[in-house]
Structure formats: structure tokens, C-alpha cells
């Protein structure tokens, strides 16, 4: 081998070594990139998770207020829509007397219940009849009145009235017992507890009511 061939061989070996070293660096670089991306991905997921948890913890629980507002609007529509139209159409005098007891409790919800909603929860009831809870309860009441009207036209109003109003009392009782369980406001809790007890008594009377004329 002459001197020129020897030098070319040395140069070739050096290039091969450089290629091998460069390949190793590329491999390590790829691993580093994958690990970096994985760390960044995990970090992003942690940030999202922490943000969601923080939002959940900071969320104000308004379920007690909502239940009390449901109770108010149901009482409003029962009193001023349903009973105003159908209570006097009921033929059974005992059933009318039971309805009068229920009206008294509804009036307390519309009076003291309204004051508590406005003072303790800062709820503006005036002007909200067409939105939110008020609108939902209005729709529910309209469906109730359709059933009562059908009963009136078919001559079975007393039977339909007893069945449907018993169900309405159960809803009212559930709303107020829910307030008792959830609220931390002493005034609201005492009021809702009293209403729940009254409704429980009235519910039992409606539920157990028997008459040969119905």
C-alpha cells in the first residue's frame, strides 16, 4: 500500500467513526424529545385537573335557595291559578275543608317564605315570572290544570282533584325538606322545617281521605 492509499484509508475510517457518533447523538436526541413531550403533556393534564378541581371547590351551592324558590312558585300558581278556579268546583265538603287547610300553608309560603327569599337569598321575585324556576313551575301548573279541567268536564273533578293535589303536596313537602337538609341559614331552616311538618300532616289527610261520593 502506497502512502496515498494509506492516507485515504485513514480518512475513510475517520468519516465512518463520525457517522457512528452522529447516529448515537441523533438517537439520544430522539429519546430526549419524547421524554420532554411526555413531561409537557403530563404537566398540561395536571394544570387542567387542578383548574377543574379549583373551579368545583369554588362553586357556590345554591340548591337550598333553588328549592325554596320552587316551593314559592308552586305555592303561587296553586293558590292563584288552580285553587282560584277549581277549589270551589269540588263538591265534597270535607275535601274542600282539607283544601282550606292547605291554602293556609300556601299563604305562609307566599308571605314569610317570600320575605326570606328576598332578605336571606337576595332573590328578586318580582318580574321573574317568565324565566327560570318560575317559568318551569308555571308550565307544571298548566299541565295540572289541564288534568283538572278534564276531570271537571267528565264529572270526576273530586277524584282527580284529590289525586293530583295529593301529589302536589308531596312535591312541596320534598322541596321544603330539601331546604332543611341543605341550608346553613337558621331562619330559613326553622321556617322550612315548620312548613315541612305542616305539609306532612296535610299530606296524610289527603292521602288517607276516603269518601263514598268520590
Amino acid at each position: 500500500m502506497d502512502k496515498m492509499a494509506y492516507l485515504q484509508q485513514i480518512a475513510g475510517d475517520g468519516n465512518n467513526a463520525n457517522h457512528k457518533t452522529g447516529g448515537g447523538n441523533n438517537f439520544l436526541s430522539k429519546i430526549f424529545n419524547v421524554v420532554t413531550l411526555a413531561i409537557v403533556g403530563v404537566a398540561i393534564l395536571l394544570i387542567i385537573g387542578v383548574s377543574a378541581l379549583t373551579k368545583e371547590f369554588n362553586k357556590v351551592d345554591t340548591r337550598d335557595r333553588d328549592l325554596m324558590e320552587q316551593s314559592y312558585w308552586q305555592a303561587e300558581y296553586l293558590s292563584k291559578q288552580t285553587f282560584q278556579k277549581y277549589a270551589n268546583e269540588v263538591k265534597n265538603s270535607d275535601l274542600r275543608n282539607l283544601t282550606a287547610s292547605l291554602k293556609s300553608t300556601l299563604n305562609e309560603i307566599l308571605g314569610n317564605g317570600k320575605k326570606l327569599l328576598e332578605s336571606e337569598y337576595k332573590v328578586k321575585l318580582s318580574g321573574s315570572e317568565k324565566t327560570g324556576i318560575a317559568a318551569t313551575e308555571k308550565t307544571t301548573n298548566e299541565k295540572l290544570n289541564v288534568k283538572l279541567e278534564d276531570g271537571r268536564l267528565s264529572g270526576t273533578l273530586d277524584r282527580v282533584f284529590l289525586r293530583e293535589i295529593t301529589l302536589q303536596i308531596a312535591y312541596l313537602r320534598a322541596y321544603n325538606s330539601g331546604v332543611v337538609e341543605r341550608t346553613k341559614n337558621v331562619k330559613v331552616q326553622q321556617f322550612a322545617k315548620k312548613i315541612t311538618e305542616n305539609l306532612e300532616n296535610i299530606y296524610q289527610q289527603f292521602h288517607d281521605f276516603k269518601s263514598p261520593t268520590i
Side-chain angles (χ1 to χ4, degrees):
M1 178 182 301
D2 59 21
K3 185 181 292 186
M4 182 61 68
Y6 176 71
L7 291 175
Q8 288 176 347
Q9 183 178 357
I10 292 174
D13 290 342
N15 289 334
N16 288 337
N18 287 334
H19 286 313
K20 289 179 181 179
T21 303
N25 289 336
N26 288 336
F27 179 73
L28 290 174
S29 178
K30 289 179 180 178
I31 293 177
F32 178 76
N33 288 337
V34 170
V35 172
T36 302
L37 288 173
I39 292 173
V40 171
V42 171
I44 292 172
L45 290 175
L46 285 173
I47 292 171
I48 293 173
V50 170
S51 297
L53 286 173
T54 302
K55 185 178 180 180
E56 189 67 26
F57 286 138
N58 291 333
K59 188 189 299 182
V60 177
D61 184 6
T62 62
R63 186 59 177 156
D64 55 332
R65 183 196 68 192
D66 294 344
L67 286 169
M68 195 167 182
E69 194 173 345
Q70 282 181 286
S71 174
Y72 171 82
W73 285 113
Q74 186 184 6
E76 169 85 1
Y77 292 124
L78 277 176
S79 180
K80 297 184 179 180
Q81 299 294 331
T82 302
F83 288 161
Q84 204 168 76
K85 184 172 183 179
Y86 294 104
N88 292 330
E89 296 285 339
V90 173
K91 296 178 181 178
N92 188 287
S93 59
D94 292 330
L95 186 54
R96 287 201 303 270
N97 289 335
L98 284 181
T99 303
S101 297
L102 176 57
K103 283 182 179 179
S104 178
T105 300
L106 295 182
N107 287 335
E108 189 166 1
I109 293 173
L110 295 175
N112 293 328
K114 180 180 180 180
K115 290 178 183 177
L116 287 171
L117 275 169
E118 292 176 339
S119 64
E120 304 303 314
Y121 292 112
K122 311 304 178 187
V123 173
K124 294 182 179 179
L125 295 169
S126 179
S128 60
E129 294 87 349
K130 296 181 180 180
T131 61
I133 293 173
T136 301
E137 289 300 324
K138 183 178 181 180
T139 299
T140 300
N141 181 261
E142 288 171 349
K143 292 178 181 178
L144 166 65
N145 293 341
V146 168
K147 294 178 182 179
L148 294 177
E149 181 64 15
D150 289 343
R152 187 185 70 82
L153 294 175
S154 64
T156 60
L157 177 61
D158 283 23
R159 186 186 312 154
V160 176
F161 187 90
L162 176 61
R163 182 188 69 228
E164 295 300 327
I165 298 305
T166 301
L167 182 59
Q168 294 299 310
I169 297 169
Y171 288 146
L172 269 175
R173 181 184 59 180
Y175 293 157
N176 284 276
S177 64
V179 173
V180 174
E181 292 174 3
R182 290 173 172 82
T183 189
K184 295 179 181 179
N185 186 300
V186 176
K187 292 181 182 178
V188 171
Q189 187 177 58
Q190 289 176 343
F191 171 80
K193 185 176 181 181
K194 178 184 177 183
I195 295 297
T196 301
E197 290 171 352
N198 290 345
L199 289 170
E200 176 62 32
N201 181 47
I202 297 170
Y203 173 82
Q204 289 302 325
Q205 294 181 61
F206 268 83
H207 182 269
D208 298 338
F209 186 85
K210 297 287 189 299
S211 174
T213 63
I214 296 181

